[in-house]
Amino acid sequence: MAGAGERTRGLTYSWIVLAVGAVGVVINLVDWFVEGGLEPYHVFPLLLVLWAAADLLKPARPAVARAAQGVAGVLLVAAGLAAGVPAAVALVRGEPVDWLDLILGVLTVLYAASAAAALAARLRSRRRASAVGAGSGTEPVVGEGASIGENGRHERS
C-alpha cells in the first residue's frame, strides 16, 4: 500500500506532466495556426494533459478521472491509426514508407488489442462472480471471506 509520501510524490509528478503537456498543447495550437495543418502526433501533449488530469482527479472525482482516461485512450487509438494506416497502405503499395508512422500504427494496434483483452477478462470475471453469487450461496466469491483472525478465536478439532 502506498504511503502518504509516495502519493504526494505521485501528485507532484502529475502536476509536472500536466504543465509539460499544457505547454505542448499550446505549442501545437500555435503551430496549427501558423503552419495550417494538424498531424496525428499533435495529439500526444493532449494525452499527457488528460492522463495527468485523470491522476489528479482520481481521489476526488473517480468517475471524471475514468472518463478522462477513456477519452485519452480513444484519442491515442485514433491518432495512432491516423498515422499508421497510411504508412501501412504505402508499404503494401511499395511506395516510400514513413517507418516511424508504421511503428506507431503497430504499437497502437497492440495497445488496442491488450485493452480489449483486459476489458474482456474483466467482464468475464464479473459474469463469473455474479453467477457464483446467484447460485446456492455456499460458494465463496473471489475477494470475499474472512481474514485471518477476523472471526475471533477458533478451536482445533
Side-chain angles (χ1 to χ4, degrees), residues 64-153:
V64 175
R66 280 191 304 273
Q69 286 175 333
V71 168
V74 169
L75 282 175
L76 176 66
V77 170
L81 290 177
V85 169
V89 168
L91 180 68
V92 169
R93 289 183 178 168
E95 299 170 355
V97 177
D98 186 347
W99 291 100
L100 185 61
D101 285 352
L102 184 64
I103 291 170
L104 182 62
V106 169
L107 290 176
T108 299
V109 169
L110 292 175
Y111 170 77
S114 66
L119 180 62
R122 186 178 310 131
L123 292 175
R124 186 176 36 239
S125 174
R126 284 185 184 170
R127 258 189 262 122
R128 188 177 306 135
S130 66
V132 169
S136 63
T138 59
E139 300 175 34
V141 177
V142 176
E144 290 185 0
S147 299
I148 297 175
E150 184 177 300
N151 291 331
R153 305 190 105 204

Side-chain angles (χ1 to χ4, degrees), residues 23-43 45-46:
V23 168
V25 167
V26 169
I27 289 171
N28 284 337
L29 285 173
V30 169
D31 185 42
W32 179 34
F33 287 126
V34 171
E35 299 293 324
L38 280 177
E39 296 293 326
Y41 57 83
H42 285 144
V43 78
L46 180 60

